[in-house]
Amino acid sequence: MPFWRRSRLTLLSAGTAVVVAMAVILTFSLMGGGSQGGGEIFLQTASAAGRDPFTPSVATDTRGAETPSGPSTSRIGSRTVAVSGAHPGLYGGTQNIASCDVEKQIAYLAENENKGSAFAGALRIPRAEVPAYLRSLTPVRLTWDTRVTNHGYRDGRATEYQAVLQAGTAVLVDDRGVPRVRCACGNPLAPAVAVQGEQTYTGKKWASFRSAAIVAVVPAPKPMKAVTMYDPETKAWFERPKGDVQGRSDHRIPAPKGQPPDASFPVLPEPTESSDLFPEGEEQGEPEGEDEDTQDGRTDEDKEKGKDEQKEDEQKEDEKKEDEQKKEEQKKEDEQKEDEQKEDEQKKEDEKKEDEKKEDEKKEDEKKEDEKKEDEKEEEQKEEEQKEEEQKEEEQKEQQPQQEEDQPVAPEPEQPQPPEPEEPAQPEEPAQPEEPAEPQQPEQSEQQLPESPPAEQPQQPAEEQPQQEPQHL
């Protein structure tokens, strides 16, 4: 079942639709569009090369394409609805996987000069700019069956025909969201144009095809920086930057505004009469209205007057809706500005917190550095004290041997004391003539002094002399 039948369609105001439709008409005029002779529109499935392909298929991601149910040629009694190329979910794909191999397309067109020239002519660009142009496009897959102007290559030139591409077809879109290249055949693409005469579908119809569920992409009001895409496999939304031909810069985003976050598939604006690009056939209600007018008994003048009043009412209703739309847009702009202001304030707050954090880290680093320096100083001081203690110990060790050498030398100043034994010579003062022999003993003791220790020799006379003197008395 296609996406448009699985989701509830959102409303597109009449005023907005008129602006979109006028943009489409202007775009078709610039692209050389307009009514095209013949009413044949070709159905092309997602993976089929189609008629008169320019290059072999360069599609790399064709998941989600449906199998055709068989050939069909039927008269169109429906409409094709205009959708802006910037509408979220208009395109889908697989995140981080490109749907086309752009470099392969470039290489093939470079090798085949005739096809390269015809390709550039269909896109109205110089042949030398083809590589750069292809690299500026974004690979996506169609979410809905889409009307386009397709180009084939026949007899050395590009042919043009109207086609409906099946949902799931891999294409390259420009910065306005308009399909420019079909990857399964390498054909250049342009916006769809109306055809003349009775319109018929030709080709293999797929199971989900509905003639009342076809979209035609119109350029976005301004260039887009990214394409908002939907991944049907994961039911997730993501953005692919413009010109990201390999899909490596995809990033996940929340569901865009207007898209229910819990919806299984994206939604499109609901088709309105003013958004119909190519209303065809009489099955849209006009015959039934005429039958009602012929049965109410009113005159042609009354009918004309009623039509004028109806037109005025419709015009007032349109103006009212347009005013409501403007108010809604103004409200959205105000909300957006408020969100931007809050975001700026949040950024400033975050920057302030970041600066404070950096300042705290700086202070902490300085504190740690000061502590480190203090620790180093204490360590140096301890080392110096240790060195001083070691030096003192060495000095003490050096002084100890000197003291040991000085200790035996210390009694040397007392060596002159040995002459003290001469004191017993005092008895010589009486000079007693009667005992001349006794005074000779000290002389002998003096002669014996060199032979005996000086400390012992003086003691003997001191002890013996007093004993002899009392005997003579």
Side-chain angles (χ1 to χ4, degrees), residues 31-51:
M31 293 298 297
S35 296
Q36 184 176 5
E40 193 173 28
I41 299 177
F42 292 87
L43 301 178
Q44 293 185 325
T45 59
S47 58
R51 56 186 292 187

Side-chain angles (χ1 to χ4, degrees), residues 270-333:
E270 184 177 351
T272 61
E273 185 176 352
S274 58
S275 67
D276 295 344
L277 291 181
F278 315 115
E280 297 293 343
E282 297 180 354
E283 293 82 4
Q284 297 182 10
E286 293 181 3
E288 294 179 1
E290 290 179 0
D291 292 341
E292 291 176 359
D293 289 341
T294 58
Q295 295 174 3
D296 61 4
R298 293 183 300 169
T299 63
D300 293 340
E301 185 177 353
D302 293 336
K303 292 178 182 179
E304 190 65 28
K305 185 178 179 180
K307 288 182 180 179
D308 292 339
E309 291 177 354
Q310 186 179 0
K311 286 181 181 179
E312 288 178 2
D313 293 339
E314 290 177 354
Q315 186 175 0
K316 289 179 181 179
E317 186 68 21
D318 292 342
E319 290 176 355
K320 184 179 179 181
K321 289 181 179 179
E322 188 174 354
D323 291 338
E324 291 177 355
Q325 180 68 19
K326 287 182 179 179
K327 290 180 181 179
E328 186 68 22
E329 291 177 356
Q330 184 64 34
K331 184 179 178 182
K332 288 182 180 179
E333 289 180 1

Side-chain angles (χ1 to χ4, degrees), residues 206-222:
W206 45 91
S208 61
F209 176 78
R210 298 293 182 274
S211 60
I214 301 173
V215 302
V217 182
V218 297
K222 60 182 181 180

Side-chain angles (χ1 to χ4, degrees), residues 4 9-13 16-18 20-21 24 28 76 78-85 87 90-91 144-148 164 179 191-192 199 201 210-219 267-280 284:
W4 67 275
L9 303 178
T10 57
L11 294 176
L12 178 67
S13 68
T16 305
V18 170
V20 172
V24 173
F28 293 159
I76 295 180
S78 60
R79 55 197 179 186
T80 300
V81 182
V83 181
S84 171
H87 184 77
L90 178 62
Y91 300 113
W144 282 270
D145 296 344
T146 307
R147 270 282 304 271
V148 296
V164 175
Q199 300 179 15
Y201 288 132
R210 298 293 182 274
S211 60
I214 301 173
V215 302
V217 182
V218 297
V267 295
L268 279 179
E270 184 177 351
T272 61
E273 185 176 352
S274 58
S275 67
D276 295 344
L277 291 181
F278 315 115
E280 297 293 343
Q284 297 182 10

Side-chain angles (χ1 to χ4, degrees), residues 53-75:
F54 263 78
T55 70
S57 175
V58 294
T60 58
D61 183 19
T62 57
R63 285 179 290 178
E66 300 182 42
T67 305
S69 60
S72 174
T73 300
S74 61
R75 185 174 180 276

